[in-house]
CSV table of all heavy atoms in Angstrom, one decimal:
chain,number,residue,atom,x,y,z
A,1,ALA,N,-12.3,50.8,-2.9
A,1,ALA,CA,-11.3,49.9,-3.3
A,1,ALA,C,-11.1,48.8,-2.2
A,1,ALA,O,-11.0,47.6,-2.6
A,1,ALA,CB,-10.0,50.6,-3.5
A,2,ALA,N,-11.2,49.2,-1.0
A,2,ALA,CA,-11.1,48.2,0.1
A,2,ALA,C,-12.3,47.3,0.0
A,2,ALA,O,-12.1,46.1,0.3
A,2,ALA,CB,-11.1,48.9,1.5
A,3,LEU,N,-13.5,47.8,-0.3
A,3,LEU,CA,-14.6,46.9,-0.5
A,3,LEU,C,-14.4,45.9,-1.6
A,3,LEU,O,-14.8,44.8,-1.4
A,3,LEU,CB,-15.8,47.8,-0.8
A,3,LEU,CG,-17.2,47.1,-1.1
A,3,LEU,CD1,-17.6,46.3,0.1
A,3,LEU,CD2,-18.2,48.1,-1.5
A,4,GLY,N,-13.8,46.3,-2.7
A,4,GLY,CA,-13.5,45.4,-3.8
A,4,GLY,C,-12.6,44.3,-3.3
A,4,GLY,O,-12.8,43.1,-3.6
A,5,PHE,N,-11.6,44.6,-2.5
A,5,PHE,CA,-10.6,43.6,-2.0
A,5,PHE,C,-11.4,42.7,-1.1
A,5,PHE,O,-11.2,41.5,-1.1
A,5,PHE,CB,-9.5,44.3,-1.2
A,5,PHE,CG,-8.5,45.1,-2.0
A,5,PHE,CD1,-7.8,46.1,-1.4
A,5,PHE,CD2,-8.2,44.7,-3.2
A,5,PHE,CE1,-6.9,46.8,-2.1
A,5,PHE,CE2,-7.2,45.4,-4.0
A,5,PHE,CZ,-6.6,46.5,-3.4
A,6,ALA,N,-12.3,43.2,-0.2
A,6,ALA,CA,-13.0,42.4,0.7
A,6,ALA,C,-14.0,41.4,0.0
A,6,ALA,O,-14.1,40.2,0.4
A,6,ALA,CB,-13.8,43.2,1.7
A,7,ARG,N,-14.6,41.9,-1.0
A,7,ARG,CA,-15.5,41.1,-1.8
A,7,ARG,C,-14.8,39.9,-2.5
A,7,ARG,O,-15.2,38.8,-2.5
A,7,ARG,CB,-16.2,41.9,-2.9
A,7,ARG,CG,-17.3,42.8,-2.4
A,7,ARG,CD,-18.2,43.2,-3.6
A,7,ARG,NE,-19.1,44.3,-3.2
A,7,ARG,CZ,-20.3,44.2,-2.6
A,7,ARG,NH1,-20.6,43.0,-2.1
A,7,ARG,NH2,-21.1,45.3,-2.4
A,8,ARG,N,-13.6,40.2,-3.0
A,8,ARG,CA,-12.8,39.1,-3.6
A,8,ARG,C,-12.3,38.1,-2.6
A,8,ARG,O,-12.3,36.9,-2.8
A,8,ARG,CB,-11.6,39.8,-4.3
A,8,ARG,CG,-10.7,38.7,-5.0
A,8,ARG,CD,-11.5,38.0,-6.1
A,8,ARG,NE,-10.7,37.0,-6.8
A,8,ARG,CZ,-10.0,37.1,-7.9
A,8,ARG,NH1,-10.0,38.4,-8.4
A,8,ARG,NH2,-9.3,36.2,-8.4
A,9,ALA,N,-12.0,38.6,-1.4
A,9,ALA,CA,-11.6,37.7,-0.3
A,9,ALA,C,-12.7,36.8,0.1
A,9,ALA,O,-12.5,35.5,0.3
A,9,ALA,CB,-11.1,38.5,0.9
A,10,LEU,N,-13.9,37.3,0.2
A,10,LEU,CA,-15.1,36.5,0.5
A,10,LEU,C,-15.3,35.4,-0.6
A,10,LEU,O,-15.6,34.3,-0.3
A,10,LEU,CB,-16.3,37.3,0.8
A,10,LEU,CG,-17.6,36.6,1.0
A,10,LEU,CD1,-17.5,35.7,2.2
A,10,LEU,CD2,-18.8,37.5,1.2
A,11,ALA,N,-15.2,35.9,-1.9
A,11,ALA,CA,-15.4,35.0,-3.0
A,11,ALA,C,-14.5,33.8,-3.0
A,11,ALA,O,-14.7,32.7,-3.2
A,11,ALA,CB,-15.4,35.7,-4.3
A,12,GLU,N,-13.2,34.2,-2.7
A,12,GLU,CA,-12.1,33.2,-2.6
A,12,GLU,C,-12.4,32.2,-1.5
A,12,GLU,O,-12.2,31.0,-1.6
A,12,GLU,CB,-10.8,33.8,-2.5
A,12,GLU,CG,-10.3,34.7,-3.6
A,12,GLU,CD,-9.8,33.9,-4.8
A,12,GLU,OE1,-9.5,32.7,-4.6
A,12,GLU,OE2,-9.8,34.4,-5.9
A,13,ALA,N,-12.8,32.7,-0.4
A,13,ALA,CA,-13.1,31.9,0.8
A,13,ALA,C,-14.3,31.0,0.6
A,13,ALA,O,-14.2,29.8,0.9
A,13,ALA,CB,-13.4,32.8,2.0
A,14,LEU,N,-15.3,31.4,-0.1
A,14,LEU,CA,-16.5,30.6,-0.4
A,14,LEU,C,-16.1,29.5,-1.4
A,14,LEU,O,-16.5,28.3,-1.2
A,14,LEU,CB,-17.6,31.5,-1.0
A,14,LEU,CG,-18.3,32.4,-0.1
A,14,LEU,CD1,-19.2,33.4,-0.9
A,14,LEU,CD2,-19.2,31.6,0.9
A,15,SER,N,-15.3,29.8,-2.4
A,15,SER,CA,-14.9,28.8,-3.3
A,15,SER,C,-13.9,27.8,-2.6
A,15,SER,O,-14.2,26.6,-2.9
A,15,SER,CB,-14.1,29.5,-4.5
A,15,SER,OG,-13.6,28.6,-5.4
A,16,PHE,N,-13.0,28.2,-1.9
A,16,PHE,CA,-12.0,27.3,-1.3
A,16,PHE,C,-12.7,26.4,-0.3
A,16,PHE,O,-12.5,25.2,-0.3
A,16,PHE,CB,-10.9,28.1,-0.6
A,16,PHE,CG,-9.9,27.2,0.0
A,16,PHE,CD1,-8.8,26.8,-0.7
A,16,PHE,CD2,-10.0,26.8,1.4
A,16,PHE,CE1,-7.8,26.0,-0.1
A,16,PHE,CE2,-9.0,26.1,1.9
A,16,PHE,CZ,-7.9,25.6,1.2
A,17,THR,N,-13.5,27.0,0.6
A,17,THR,CA,-14.1,26.1,1.7
A,17,THR,C,-15.2,25.2,1.1
A,17,THR,O,-15.4,24.1,1.7
A,17,THR,CB,-14.8,27.0,2.8
A,17,THR,OG1,-15.7,27.9,2.2
A,17,THR,CG2,-13.7,27.9,3.5
A,18,SER,N,-15.8,25.5,0.0
A,18,SER,CA,-16.8,24.6,-0.6
A,18,SER,C,-16.1,23.4,-1.2
A,18,SER,O,-16.7,22.3,-1.3
A,18,SER,CB,-17.5,25.3,-1.7
A,18,SER,OG,-18.3,26.4,-1.1
A,19,GLN,N,-14.8,23.5,-1.7
A,19,GLN,CA,-14.1,22.4,-2.3
A,19,GLN,C,-13.2,21.6,-1.3
A,19,GLN,O,-12.9,20.5,-1.5
A,19,GLN,CB,-13.3,22.9,-3.4
A,19,GLN,CG,-14.0,23.5,-4.6
A,19,GLN,CD,-13.1,24.0,-5.6
A,19,GLN,OE1,-12.6,23.2,-6.4
A,19,GLN,NE2,-12.9,25.3,-5.7
A,20,ARG,N,-12.7,22.3,-0.3
A,20,ARG,CA,-11.8,21.7,0.7
A,20,ARG,C,-12.5,20.7,1.5
A,20,ARG,O,-13.5,21.0,2.2
A,20,ARG,CB,-11.2,22.8,1.6
A,20,ARG,CG,-10.2,22.3,2.5
A,20,ARG,CD,-8.9,21.8,1.9
A,20,ARG,NE,-7.8,21.7,2.8
A,20,ARG,CZ,-6.7,21.1,2.5
A,20,ARG,NH1,-6.4,20.7,1.2
A,20,ARG,NH2,-5.7,21.0,3.4
A,21,ARG,N,-12.0,19.4,1.5
A,21,ARG,CA,-12.7,18.4,2.2
A,21,ARG,C,-12.3,18.4,3.7
A,21,ARG,O,-11.1,18.6,4.0
A,21,ARG,CB,-12.3,17.0,1.6
A,21,ARG,CG,-12.7,16.8,0.2
A,21,ARG,CD,-14.1,17.2,-0.1
A,21,ARG,NE,-15.1,16.3,0.6
A,21,ARG,CZ,-16.4,16.5,0.6
A,21,ARG,NH1,-16.9,17.5,0.0
A,21,ARG,NH2,-17.2,15.6,1.3
A,22,LEU,N,-13.3,18.3,4.6
A,22,LEU,CA,-13.1,18.2,6.0
A,22,LEU,C,-14.0,17.0,6.4
A,22,LEU,O,-15.2,17.3,6.7
A,22,LEU,CB,-13.4,19.5,6.7
A,22,LEU,CG,-13.1,19.5,8.2
A,22,LEU,CD1,-11.6,19.4,8.4
A,22,LEU,CD2,-13.6,20.8,8.8
A,23,ALA,N,-13.5,15.8,6.5
A,23,ALA,CA,-14.3,14.6,6.6
A,23,ALA,C,-15.3,14.8,7.7
A,23,ALA,O,-15.0,15.3,8.8
A,23,ALA,CB,-13.4,13.4,6.9
A,24,PRO,N,-16.6,14.4,7.4
A,24,PRO,CA,-17.0,13.7,6.2
A,24,PRO,C,-17.6,14.6,5.2
A,24,PRO,O,-18.2,14.2,4.2
A,24,PRO,CB,-18.2,12.8,6.8
A,24,PRO,CG,-18.8,13.6,7.9
A,24,PRO,CD,-17.6,14.4,8.5
A,25,ALA,N,-17.5,16.0,5.4
A,25,ALA,CA,-18.1,16.9,4.4
A,25,ALA,C,-17.1,17.9,4.0
A,25,ALA,O,-15.9,17.7,4.1
A,25,ALA,CB,-19.3,17.6,5.1
């Protein structure tokens, strides 16, 4: 169950950081 939580956290982090702008990328 903890592994499932961790996988979701990583997926959320990958999604968020890929879209969040930090100039210039």
Side-chain angles (χ1 to χ4, degrees):
L3 176 62
F5 289 151
R7 286 197 192 281
R8 182 61 183 267
L10 176 59
E12 294 286 341
L14 287 167
S15 176
F16 181 89
T17 58
S18 295
Q19 295 181 77
R20 182 68 165 172
R21 302 308 298 172
L22 185 67

